[in-house]
């Protein structure tokens, strides 16, 4: 795709395999997934720094309830110029504990990752000292383009930050949220 080699993934387990080719490589989602029989107690993909191409597919019924770790979402953490694009997350049900970065797609993104043409629907909740966002919990030095969240966001007493699209955003002048909404 666009001159890059990709290894097609057909399940969250395939994407989350702990091999350098998947954490740092090019991973397209080969088909739409319904994840209604799984409940995760941490992010299915703890850290990712490659290119993830959803190819317009969706992941439905992603359920994560985590009281440990610091990042909660499909991708716990995006690093080193990662790119996530062309993906829908529908009917998510995500809950986190105190002090976590919580989002449907990404808990925490840093080092200039890009999220493009991604959306999420469902519900997300967090507790004290958490940053909760409908799509991304915390984004520092990254961009979000052509994306949206239709997510019920619930922040407990003493939450650090909460937002419909992003809980907390900080970046350089080139890091933007563009043509995106909640």
């Amino acid at each position: 795709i666009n001159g890059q080699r990709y290894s097609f993934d057909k399940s969250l387990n395939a994407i989350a395999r702990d091999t350098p080719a998947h954490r740092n490589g090019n991973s397209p989602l080969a088909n739409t997934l319904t994840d209604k029989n799984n409940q995760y107690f941490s992010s299915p993909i703890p850290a990712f720094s490659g290119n993830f191409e959803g190819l317009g597919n969706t992941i439905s019924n992603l359920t994560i309830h985590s009281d440990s770790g610091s990042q909660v979402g499909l991708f716990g953490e995006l690093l080193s110029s990662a790119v996530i694009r062309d993906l829908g997350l529908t009917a998510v049900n995500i809950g986190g504990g105190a002090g976590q970065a919580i989002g449907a797609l990404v808990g925490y993104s840093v080092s200039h990752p890009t999220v493009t043409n991604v959306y999420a629907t469902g519900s997300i909740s967090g507790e004290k000292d958490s940053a909760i966002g409908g799509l991304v919990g915390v984004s520092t030095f990254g961009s979000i383009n052509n994306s949206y969240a239709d997510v019920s966001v619930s922040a407990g007493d003493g939450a650090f930050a909460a937002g419909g699209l992003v809980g907390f955003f900080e970046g350089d002048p080139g890091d933007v949220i563009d043509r995106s909404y909640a």
Side-chain angles (χ1 to χ4, degrees), residues 48-179:
F48 189 80
S49 61
N51 295 305
F52 184 87
E53 173 58 69
L55 297 173
N57 289 306
T58 60
I59 297 173
S60 299
N61 302 308
L62 176 64
T63 300
I64 305 170
H65 291 285
S66 175
D67 289 328
S68 62
S70 56
Q71 297 91 11
V72 181
L74 173 62
F75 296 90
E77 191 170 12
L78 289 186
L79 303 165
S80 305
S81 302
V83 175
I84 309 296
R85 60 180 303 119
D86 305 321
L87 177 66
L89 300 173
T90 61
V92 300
N93 180 359
I94 299 174
Q100 295 177 318
I102 307 162
L105 180 68
V106 180
Y108 184 77
S109 74
V110 66
S111 299
H112 305 288
T114 301
V115 172
T116 302
N117 299 327
V118 176
Y119 69 90
T121 67
S123 64
I124 297 178
S125 63
E127 296 177 9
K128 182 180 178 187
D129 297 326
S130 292
I132 306 116
L135 194 63
V136 177
V138 173
S139 178
T140 57
F141 309 107
S143 296
I144 300 171
N145 306 298
N146 299 321
S147 298
Y148 72 90
D150 184 6
V151 176
S152 170
V153 175
S154 174
D157 289 339
F160 169 70
L165 186 68
V166 179
F168 178 83
F169 182 85
E170 175 183 37
D172 290 330
D175 300 321
V176 297
I177 296 175
D178 187 39
R179 295 182 305 273

Side-chain angles (χ1 to χ4, degrees), residues 7-19 22-23 26-36 38 40 43-46 48 52-55 57-60 62 74-75 87 89:
S7 172
F8 280 88
D9 294 317
K10 295 183 181 180
S11 71
L12 285 182
N13 291 334
I15 299 164
R17 284 187 303 225
D18 192 21
T19 63
H22 284 77
R23 284 182 294 148
N26 298 316
S27 298
L29 184 61
N31 52 289
T32 292
L33 301 176
T34 300
D35 201 42
K36 64 183 173 185
N38 292 320
Y40 298 93
S43 298
I45 305 163
F48 189 80
F52 184 87
E53 173 58 69
L55 297 173
N57 289 306
T58 60
I59 297 173
S60 299
L62 176 64
L74 173 62
F75 296 90
L87 177 66
L89 300 173

